[in-house]
Short mmCIF file of all heavy atoms in Angstrom, two decimals:
data_model
loop_
_atom_site.label_atom_id
_atom_site.label_comp_id
_atom_site.label_asym_id
_atom_site.label_seq_id
_atom_site.Cartn_x
_atom_site.Cartn_y
_atom_site.Cartn_z
N PRO A 28 0.76 -1.20 -0.03
CA PRO A 28 0.01 0.01 0.02
C PRO A 28 0.83 1.30 -0.02
O PRO A 28 0.33 2.34 -0.26
CB PRO A 28 -0.82 -0.19 1.30
CG PRO A 28 -0.73 -1.59 1.63
CD PRO A 28 0.53 -2.03 1.12
N GLU A 29 2.16 1.19 0.22
CA GLU A 29 2.99 2.38 0.22
C GLU A 29 3.29 2.84 -1.07
O GLU A 29 3.71 4.02 -1.30
CB GLU A 29 4.27 2.09 1.07
CG GLU A 29 4.11 1.80 2.45
CD GLU A 29 5.29 1.51 3.19
OE1 GLU A 29 6.36 2.37 3.15
OE2 GLU A 29 5.56 0.53 3.87
N TYR A 30 3.09 2.05 -2.16
CA TYR A 30 3.30 2.53 -3.52
C TYR A 30 2.16 3.64 -3.84
O TYR A 30 1.01 3.37 -3.65
CB TYR A 30 3.14 1.38 -4.55
CG TYR A 30 3.43 1.86 -5.95
CD1 TYR A 30 4.59 2.43 -6.35
CD2 TYR A 30 2.32 1.82 -6.92
CE1 TYR A 30 4.84 2.79 -7.65
CE2 TYR A 30 2.63 2.16 -8.21
CZ TYR A 30 3.82 2.71 -8.51
OH TYR A 30 3.98 3.08 -9.91
N PRO A 31 2.60 4.87 -4.09
CA PRO A 31 1.58 6.06 -4.16
C PRO A 31 0.53 5.87 -5.25
O PRO A 31 -0.48 6.54 -5.07
CB PRO A 31 2.49 7.20 -4.30
CG PRO A 31 3.72 6.66 -4.97
CD PRO A 31 4.04 5.29 -4.42
N TRP A 32 0.76 5.12 -6.30
CA TRP A 32 -0.19 5.04 -7.36
C TRP A 32 -1.00 3.77 -7.34
O TRP A 32 -1.88 3.55 -8.27
CB TRP A 32 0.57 5.16 -8.70
CG TRP A 32 1.40 6.32 -8.77
CD1 TRP A 32 2.72 6.27 -8.92
CD2 TRP A 32 1.03 7.62 -8.83
NE1 TRP A 32 3.19 7.63 -8.92
CE2 TRP A 32 2.23 8.53 -8.87
CE3 TRP A 32 -0.19 8.36 -8.72
CZ2 TRP A 32 2.19 9.86 -8.90
CZ3 TRP A 32 -0.27 9.76 -8.73
CH2 TRP A 32 0.86 10.51 -8.83
N SER A 33 -0.94 2.93 -6.34
CA SER A 33 -1.75 1.83 -6.07
C SER A 33 -2.99 2.15 -5.35
O SER A 33 -2.99 3.01 -4.47
CB SER A 33 -0.97 0.75 -5.27
OG SER A 33 -1.80 -0.32 -4.94
N ARG A 34 -4.07 1.38 -5.77
CA ARG A 34 -5.40 1.65 -5.08
C ARG A 34 -5.58 0.56 -4.04
O ARG A 34 -6.63 0.54 -3.53
CB ARG A 34 -6.51 1.67 -6.11
CG ARG A 34 -6.41 2.99 -7.05
CD ARG A 34 -6.50 4.24 -6.09
NE ARG A 34 -6.24 5.45 -6.83
CZ ARG A 34 -5.08 6.01 -6.73
NH1 ARG A 34 -4.05 5.55 -6.06
NH2 ARG A 34 -4.94 7.14 -7.46
N LEU A 35 -4.58 -0.29 -3.86
CA LEU A 35 -4.78 -1.27 -2.81
C LEU A 35 -4.94 -0.59 -1.43
O LEU A 35 -5.70 -1.06 -0.52
CB LEU A 35 -3.43 -2.17 -2.66
CG LEU A 35 -3.54 -3.19 -1.60
CD1 LEU A 35 -4.63 -4.14 -1.80
CD2 LEU A 35 -2.06 -3.98 -1.67
N MET A 36 -4.38 0.59 -1.26
CA MET A 36 -4.59 1.35 -0.02
C MET A 36 -6.01 1.67 0.34
O MET A 36 -6.52 1.69 1.43
CB MET A 36 -3.77 2.70 -0.11
CG MET A 36 -4.24 3.64 -1.11
SD MET A 36 -3.28 5.21 -1.15
CE MET A 36 -1.88 4.65 -1.99
N TRP A 37 -6.86 1.77 -0.80
CA TRP A 37 -8.20 2.08 -0.63
C TRP A 37 -8.96 0.79 -0.17
O TRP A 37 -9.94 0.85 0.55
CB TRP A 37 -8.90 2.70 -1.94
CG TRP A 37 -8.46 4.15 -2.09
CD1 TRP A 37 -7.80 4.92 -1.27
CD2 TRP A 37 -8.74 4.82 -3.30
NE1 TRP A 37 -7.66 6.21 -1.87
CE2 TRP A 37 -8.30 6.13 -3.08
CE3 TRP A 37 -9.34 4.60 -4.53
CZ2 TRP A 37 -8.27 7.25 -4.02
CZ3 TRP A 37 -9.43 5.65 -5.46
CH2 TRP A 37 -8.95 6.91 -5.16
N TYR A 38 -8.54 -0.34 -0.78
CA TYR A 38 -9.04 -1.61 -0.41
C TYR A 38 -8.83 -1.87 1.18
O TYR A 38 -9.73 -2.56 1.81
CB TYR A 38 -8.54 -2.77 -1.15
CG TYR A 38 -9.09 -2.85 -2.56
CD1 TYR A 38 -8.55 -2.07 -3.62
CD2 TYR A 38 -10.16 -3.72 -2.81
CE1 TYR A 38 -9.11 -2.23 -4.98
CE2 TYR A 38 -10.66 -3.83 -4.14
CZ TYR A 38 -10.15 -3.06 -5.13
OH TYR A 38 -10.73 -3.20 -6.40
N LEU A 39 -7.78 -1.36 1.63
CA LEU A 39 -7.49 -1.53 3.02
C LEU A 39 -7.95 -0.54 3.95
O LEU A 39 -7.80 -0.65 5.25
CB LEU A 39 -5.90 -1.86 3.17
CG LEU A 39 -5.32 -2.91 2.37
CD1 LEU A 39 -3.78 -2.85 2.51
CD2 LEU A 39 -5.97 -4.21 2.60
N ALA A 40 -8.60 0.46 3.47
CA ALA A 40 -9.01 1.64 4.27
C ALA A 40 -10.41 1.41 4.74
O ALA A 40 -11.23 0.60 4.17
CB ALA A 40 -8.97 2.94 3.53
N VAL A 41 -10.83 2.13 5.81
CA VAL A 41 -12.18 2.01 6.26
C VAL A 41 -13.13 2.64 5.24
O VAL A 41 -12.71 3.60 4.43
CB VAL A 41 -12.44 2.68 7.64
CG1 VAL A 41 -11.61 2.01 8.73
CG2 VAL A 41 -11.99 4.20 7.57
N PRO A 42 -14.42 2.21 5.08
CA PRO A 42 -15.34 2.75 4.05
C PRO A 42 -15.33 4.27 3.92
O PRO A 42 -15.43 4.81 2.81
CB PRO A 42 -16.62 2.11 4.42
CG PRO A 42 -16.33 0.85 5.19
CD PRO A 42 -15.07 1.21 5.97
N LYS A 43 -15.32 5.00 5.06
CA LYS A 43 -15.48 6.46 4.98
C LYS A 43 -14.28 7.08 4.32
O LYS A 43 -14.45 8.20 3.94
CB LYS A 43 -15.84 6.97 6.31
CG LYS A 43 -14.55 6.85 7.22
CD LYS A 43 -15.01 7.50 8.57
CE LYS A 43 -13.73 7.60 9.52
NZ LYS A 43 -14.12 8.21 10.84
N HIS A 44 -13.17 6.41 4.19
CA HIS A 44 -11.96 6.94 3.50
C HIS A 44 -11.82 6.53 2.12
O HIS A 44 -10.85 6.94 1.46
CB HIS A 44 -10.76 6.63 4.34
CG HIS A 44 -10.70 7.25 5.73
ND1 HIS A 44 -9.93 6.79 6.69
CD2 HIS A 44 -11.27 8.39 6.19
CE1 HIS A 44 -10.06 7.57 7.80
NE2 HIS A 44 -10.83 8.52 7.40
N ARG A 45 -12.76 5.86 1.57
CA ARG A 45 -12.75 5.44 0.12
C ARG A 45 -13.61 6.30 -0.74
O ARG A 45 -14.61 6.96 -0.21
CB ARG A 45 -13.28 3.89 -0.03
CG ARG A 45 -12.46 2.90 0.66
CD ARG A 45 -12.97 1.49 0.26
NE ARG A 45 -12.76 0.59 1.29
CZ ARG A 45 -13.66 -0.16 1.97
NH1 ARG A 45 -14.96 -0.03 1.54
NH2 ARG A 45 -13.26 -1.00 2.84
N PRO A 46 -13.40 6.36 -1.97
CA PRO A 46 -14.33 7.02 -2.90
C PRO A 46 -15.76 6.45 -2.76
O PRO A 46 -15.93 5.23 -2.64
CB PRO A 46 -13.76 6.86 -4.35
CG PRO A 46 -12.30 6.55 -4.07
CD PRO A 46 -12.19 5.81 -2.69
N ALA A 47 -16.79 7.24 -2.89
CA ALA A 47 -18.16 6.72 -2.73
C ALA A 47 -18.57 5.80 -3.77
O ALA A 47 -19.32 4.83 -3.46
CB ALA A 47 -19.10 7.96 -2.94
N TRP A 48 -17.89 5.81 -5.02
CA TRP A 48 -18.22 4.87 -6.05
C TRP A 48 -17.58 3.53 -5.98
O TRP A 48 -17.81 2.53 -6.63
CB TRP A 48 -17.96 5.44 -7.42
CG TRP A 48 -16.47 5.99 -7.57
CD1 TRP A 48 -16.11 7.26 -7.34
CD2 TRP A 48 -15.33 5.22 -7.81
NE1 TRP A 48 -14.81 7.47 -7.52
CE2 TRP A 48 -14.21 6.25 -7.78
CE3 TRP A 48 -15.05 4.00 -8.04
CZ2 TRP A 48 -12.90 5.83 -8.01
CZ3 TRP A 48 -13.61 3.60 -8.23
CH2 TRP A 48 -12.58 4.50 -8.14
N MET A 49 -16.56 3.42 -5.04
CA MET A 49 -15.73 2.19 -5.07
C MET A 49 -16.42 1.15 -4.13
O MET A 49 -16.83 1.41 -3.04
CB MET A 49 -14.38 2.45 -4.50
CG MET A 49 -13.41 1.42 -4.52
SD MET A 49 -11.73 1.88 -4.01
CE MET A 49 -10.77 0.45 -4.22
N ARG A 50 -16.40 -0.06 -4.74
CA ARG A 50 -16.88 -1.24 -3.94
C ARG A 50 -15.81 -2.35 -3.91
O ARG A 50 -15.12 -2.62 -4.94
CB ARG A 50 -18.21 -1.86 -4.47
CG ARG A 50 -18.19 -2.16 -6.01
CD ARG A 50 -19.49 -2.77 -6.40
NE ARG A 50 -19.73 -4.02 -5.83
CZ ARG A 50 -20.80 -4.75 -6.22
NH1 ARG A 50 -21.59 -4.39 -7.18
NH2 ARG A 50 -20.98 -5.94 -5.68
N ILE A 51 -15.67 -2.98 -2.77
CA ILE A 51 -14.55 -3.89 -2.63
C ILE A 51 -15.07 -5.33 -2.25
O ILE A 51 -14.31 -6.22 -2.14
CB ILE A 51 -13.48 -3.52 -1.64
CG1 ILE A 51 -14.11 -3.70 -0.20
CG2 ILE A 51 -13.05 -2.09 -1.89
CD1 ILE A 51 -13.09 -3.55 0.99
N ASP A 52 -16.43 -5.45 -2.10
CA ASP A 52 -17.08 -6.70 -1.59
C ASP A 52 -16.85 -7.85 -2.59
O ASP A 52 -16.68 -9.00 -2.16
CB ASP A 52 -18.52 -6.50 -1.40
CG ASP A 52 -19.28 -5.99 -2.61
OD1 ASP A 52 -18.87 -4.87 -3.10
OD2 ASP A 52 -20.17 -6.60 -3.05
N ARG A 53 -16.81 -7.55 -3.90
CA ARG A 53 -16.56 -8.61 -4.85
C ARG A 53 -15.22 -9.29 -4.81
O ARG A 53 -15.05 -10.41 -4.84
CB ARG A 53 -16.97 -8.13 -6.32
CG ARG A 53 -18.34 -7.76 -6.45
CD ARG A 53 -18.68 -7.23 -7.91
NE ARG A 53 -18.47 -8.32 -8.89
CZ ARG A 53 -18.52 -8.06 -10.14
NH1 ARG A 53 -18.88 -6.83 -10.66
NH2 ARG A 53 -18.36 -9.07 -11.12
N LEU A 54 -14.25 -8.37 -4.68
CA LEU A 54 -12.81 -8.89 -4.55
C LEU A 54 -12.61 -9.59 -3.22
O LEU A 54 -12.00 -10.65 -3.21
CB LEU A 54 -11.83 -7.66 -4.58
CG LEU A 54 -10.35 -8.07 -4.52
CD1 LEU A 54 -9.97 -9.17 -5.57
CD2 LEU A 54 -9.40 -6.95 -4.68
N LEU A 55 -13.14 -9.03 -2.11
CA LEU A 55 -13.07 -9.74 -0.89
C LEU A 55 -13.68 -11.10 -0.91
O LEU A 55 -13.15 -12.09 -0.43
CB LEU A 55 -13.78 -8.88 0.28
CG LEU A 55 -13.05 -7.58 0.65
CD1 LEU A 55 -13.89 -6.86 1.69
CD2 LEU A 55 -11.71 -7.90 1.24
N GLY A 56 -14.86 -11.20 -1.64
CA GLY A 56 -15.55 -12.47 -1.76
C GLY A 56 -14.80 -13.47 -2.58
O GLY A 56 -14.78 -14.55 -2.19
N GLU A 57 -14.03 -13.03 -3.62
CA GLU A 57 -13.24 -13.99 -4.35
C GLU A 57 -12.06 -14.43 -3.56
O GLU A 57 -11.52 -15.57 -3.85
CB GLU A 57 -12.77 -13.31 -5.69
CG GLU A 57 -13.87 -12.99 -6.59
CD GLU A 57 -13.76 -13.54 -7.95
OE1 GLU A 57 -12.84 -14.19 -8.26
OE2 GLU A 57 -14.73 -13.29 -8.75
N HIS A 58 -11.67 -13.68 -2.54
CA HIS A 58 -10.63 -14.07 -1.53
C HIS A 58 -11.12 -14.94 -0.45
O HIS A 58 -10.41 -15.44 0.42
CB HIS A 58 -9.86 -12.90 -0.98
CG HIS A 58 -8.70 -12.49 -1.95
ND1 HIS A 58 -7.43 -12.99 -1.89
CD2 HIS A 58 -8.66 -11.43 -2.84
CE1 HIS A 58 -6.66 -12.46 -2.75
NE2 HIS A 58 -7.32 -11.52 -3.32
N GLY A 59 -12.43 -15.08 -0.52
CA GLY A 59 -13.02 -15.88 0.58
C GLY A 59 -13.27 -15.10 1.92
O GLY A 59 -13.56 -15.66 2.99
N ILE A 60 -13.21 -13.79 1.80
CA ILE A 60 -13.31 -12.92 3.03
C ILE A 60 -14.78 -12.40 2.91
O ILE A 60 -15.22 -11.63 2.03
CB ILE A 60 -12.33 -11.75 2.88
CG1 ILE A 60 -10.91 -12.31 2.88
CG2 ILE A 60 -12.50 -10.74 4.06
CD1 ILE A 60 -9.82 -11.18 2.62
N ARG A 61 -15.46 -12.64 3.99
CA ARG A 61 -16.90 -12.47 4.05
C ARG A 61 -17.39 -10.99 4.41
O ARG A 61 -18.37 -10.54 3.93
CB ARG A 61 -17.62 -13.47 4.98
CG ARG A 61 -17.48 -14.90 4.60
CD ARG A 61 -18.26 -15.83 5.48
NE ARG A 61 -18.22 -17.23 5.07
CZ ARG A 61 -18.80 -18.26 5.68
NH1 ARG A 61 -19.44 -17.89 6.78
NH2 ARG A 61 -18.60 -19.49 5.20
N ARG A 62 -16.53 -10.39 5.11
CA ARG A 62 -16.97 -9.04 5.71
C ARG A 62 -15.95 -7.89 5.46
O ARG A 62 -14.70 -8.25 5.57
CB ARG A 62 -17.30 -9.06 7.19
CG ARG A 62 -18.43 -10.00 7.57
CD ARG A 62 -18.79 -9.91 8.97
NE ARG A 62 -19.98 -10.73 9.35
CZ ARG A 62 -20.36 -10.77 10.58
NH1 ARG A 62 -19.89 -10.19 11.57
NH2 ARG A 62 -21.52 -11.57 10.82
N ASP A 63 -16.39 -6.71 5.18
CA ASP A 63 -15.52 -5.56 4.97
C ASP A 63 -15.38 -4.95 6.37
O ASP A 63 -15.90 -3.88 6.57
CB ASP A 63 -16.18 -4.65 3.96
CG ASP A 63 -15.39 -3.35 3.77
OD1 ASP A 63 -14.21 -3.27 4.24
OD2 ASP A 63 -15.95 -2.43 3.18
N ASN A 64 -14.62 -5.65 7.18
CA ASN A 64 -14.42 -5.07 8.50
C ASN A 64 -12.84 -5.07 8.78
O ASN A 64 -12.00 -5.51 7.87
CB ASN A 64 -15.05 -5.81 9.69
CG ASN A 64 -14.77 -7.39 9.54
OD1 ASN A 64 -13.75 -7.77 8.94
ND2 ASN A 64 -15.70 -8.22 10.14
N GLU A 65 -12.38 -4.77 9.95
CA GLU A 65 -10.98 -4.65 10.21
C GLU A 65 -10.31 -5.92 10.03
O GLU A 65 -9.22 -6.06 9.44
CB GLU A 65 -10.67 -4.10 11.70
CG GLU A 65 -9.34 -3.86 12.02
CD GLU A 65 -9.07 -3.41 13.44
OE1 GLU A 65 -10.19 -3.06 13.98
OE2 GLU A 65 -7.96 -3.25 13.83
N ALA A 66 -10.96 -7.05 10.50
CA ALA A 66 -10.35 -8.37 10.34
C ALA A 66 -10.21 -8.75 8.82
O ALA A 66 -9.24 -9.39 8.49
CB ALA A 66 -11.13 -9.41 11.11
N GLY A 67 -11.32 -8.60 8.12
CA GLY A 67 -11.30 -8.85 6.71
C GLY A 67 -10.27 -8.06 5.98
O GLY A 67 -9.57 -8.64 5.16
N ARG A 68 -10.16 -6.78 6.17
CA ARG A 68 -9.17 -6.02 5.51
C ARG A 68 -7.73 -6.46 5.82
O ARG A 68 -6.77 -6.43 5.01
CB ARG A 68 -9.32 -4.51 5.72
CG ARG A 68 -10.69 -4.01 5.24
CD ARG A 68 -10.78 -2.49 5.30
NE ARG A 68 -10.86 -2.09 6.61
CZ ARG A 68 -12.07 -1.91 7.33
NH1 ARG A 68 -13.14 -2.23 6.71
NH2 ARG A 68 -12.05 -1.49 8.59
N ALA A 69 -7.56 -6.85 7.07
CA ALA A 69 -6.18 -7.22 7.54
C ALA A 69 -5.88 -8.56 6.89
O ALA A 69 -4.70 -8.82 6.50
CB ALA A 69 -6.19 -7.44 9.09
N GLU A 70 -6.81 -9.38 6.67
CA GLU A 70 -6.58 -10.62 5.98
C GLU A 70 -6.22 -10.47 4.51
O GLU A 70 -5.21 -11.17 3.99
CB GLU A 70 -7.78 -11.54 6.05
CG GLU A 70 -7.70 -12.85 5.28
CD GLU A 70 -6.64 -13.82 5.77
OE1 GLU A 70 -6.12 -13.59 6.87
OE2 GLU A 70 -6.21 -14.76 5.11
N LEU A 71 -6.81 -9.48 3.81
CA LEU A 71 -6.50 -9.24 2.41
C LEU A 71 -5.13 -8.66 2.34
O LEU A 71 -4.38 -9.01 1.54
CB LEU A 71 -7.51 -8.14 1.90
CG LEU A 71 -7.19 -7.65 0.46
CD1 LEU A 71 -7.24 -8.78 -0.52
CD2 LEU A 71 -8.09 -6.53 0.10
#
């Protein structure tokens, strides 16, 4: 996430810090991560 042009940092951020149009649930689901919470983002 330290690479400045990567959007992985947004996947790992809390929802209020992401762009309104961005959704990460599909990618989390493909990784088998069920919830967009602290534990789920830490697993990603």
Side-chain angles (χ1 to χ4, degrees):
E29 294 182 52
Y30 181 64
W32 306 114
S33 173
R34 291 301 168 259
L35 180 59
M36 65 180 76
W37 286 351
Y38 281 85
L39 303 178
V41 296
K43 67 179 182 180
H44 291 158
R45 295 188 207 125
W48 49 264
M49 187 175 182
R50 53 179 293 187
I51 73 168
D52 55 305
R53 293 179 67 184
L54 180 59
L55 290 179
E57 298 238 358
H58 273 276
I60 300 172
R61 296 183 178 182
R62 294 185 179 180
D63 177 13
N64 55 20
E65 184 177 355
R68 294 188 293 272
E70 176 62 15
L71 177 63

